[in-house]
Amino acid sequence: MNFERYTDRAKGFVQAGQSLALRENHQQFTPEHLLKVLIDDPEGLASGLIARAGADPKAILAAVERSLAKRPKVSGGSGQVYVSPEAARTFEAAEKAADKASDKFVTAERLLLALAMDGSTEAGKTLRDAGATAEKINAAINEIRKGRTADSASAEQAYDALKRYARDLTEAAASGKLDPVI
């Protein structure tokens, strides 16, 4: 795993997943930890991709939380969290997916795609059972990227910039959320 190839947000998600594992007294950092922090993101990139793939992010989050609650807890340890072999495979798959898409950096959405690609992990099974297959997530990624590649450590800031910083008045008017103007 070449951590220097990850975008700033992807690095943040990996670190947040490790912190979650440490907080929950889990000895290993697993793909389930990564999926939980991706879905919990306040900016909603992963949740949006999952929704575009036709699945319910809240249902997936609940399933992942149930899965994490079943994991054994270790107390009195050295405070170290080890990367599970499944998580290492996820990172390798994310790097390969980034290479295949001609990205210079591994982004958060490539991490989500890698989670969906590995059906042998609890995270992959949860995504697949909810209907968020790797193919659907990849199509959603291509839809929000519109042909752009991740060629900088801050590449994710450019996706859906209008939705992030502006309000769609046409959509608000159509749904009746605007007051009539006289």
Side-chain angles (χ1 to χ4, degrees):
M1 176 177 148
N2 182 3
F3 209 51
E4 295 300 314
R5 277 195 63 202
Y6 286 65
T7 62
D8 297 337
R9 286 202 63 208
K11 287 178 188 177
F13 285 124
V14 172
Q15 290 169 342
Q18 289 173 327
S19 296
L20 173 65
L22 192 60
R23 235 183 4 260
E24 296 290 324
N25 294 321
H26 296 156
Q27 193 170 16
Q28 288 188 325
F29 170 58
T30 63
E32 292 80 37
H33 293 104
L34 184 61
L35 182 57
K36 178 171 173 24
V37 297
L38 281 168
I39 295 176
D40 274 344
D41 176 34
E43 290 187 24
L45 177 65
S47 296
L49 288 171
I50 289 170
R52 284 181 189 216
D56 181 14
K58 291 179 183 175
I60 292 172
L61 180 62
V64 168
E65 287 174 345
R66 283 192 303 273
S67 174
L68 287 173
K70 294 178 188 173
R71 295 198 65 76
K73 296 182 183 295
V74 177
S75 61
S78 62
Q80 279 200 326
V81 176
Y82 302 97
V83 176
S84 71
E86 296 86 8
R89 273 199 321 264
T90 299
F91 295 134
E92 187 176 321
E95 290 175 14
K96 285 181 181 175
D99 288 341
K100 188 175 179 182
S102 302
D103 290 343
K104 292 181 182 154
F105 288 85
V106 178
T107 58
E109 63 267 17
R110 295 295 172 205
L111 288 173
L112 179 65
L113 178 63
L115 288 168
M117 287 174 15
D118 192 353
S120 65
T121 65
E122 260 324 293
K125 289 176 189 171
T126 302
L127 286 167
R128 186 185 63 236
D129 291 347
T133 62
E135 295 79 22
K136 289 179 181 177
I137 290 175
N138 195 37
I141 291 169
N142 292 335
E143 186 180 318
I144 67 162
R145 280 193 169 193
K146 297 179 177 72
R148 292 180 296 230
T149 58
D151 54 359
S152 71
S154 60
E156 288 127 335
Q157 301 302 322
Y159 309 149
D160 281 345
L162 279 176
K163 282 190 178 181
R164 188 177 296 143
Y165 300 115
R167 182 175 174 201
D168 187 347
L169 293 176
T170 306
E171 181 181 308
S175 63
K177 293 182 181 175
L178 283 182
D179 292 332
V181 178
I182 299 172

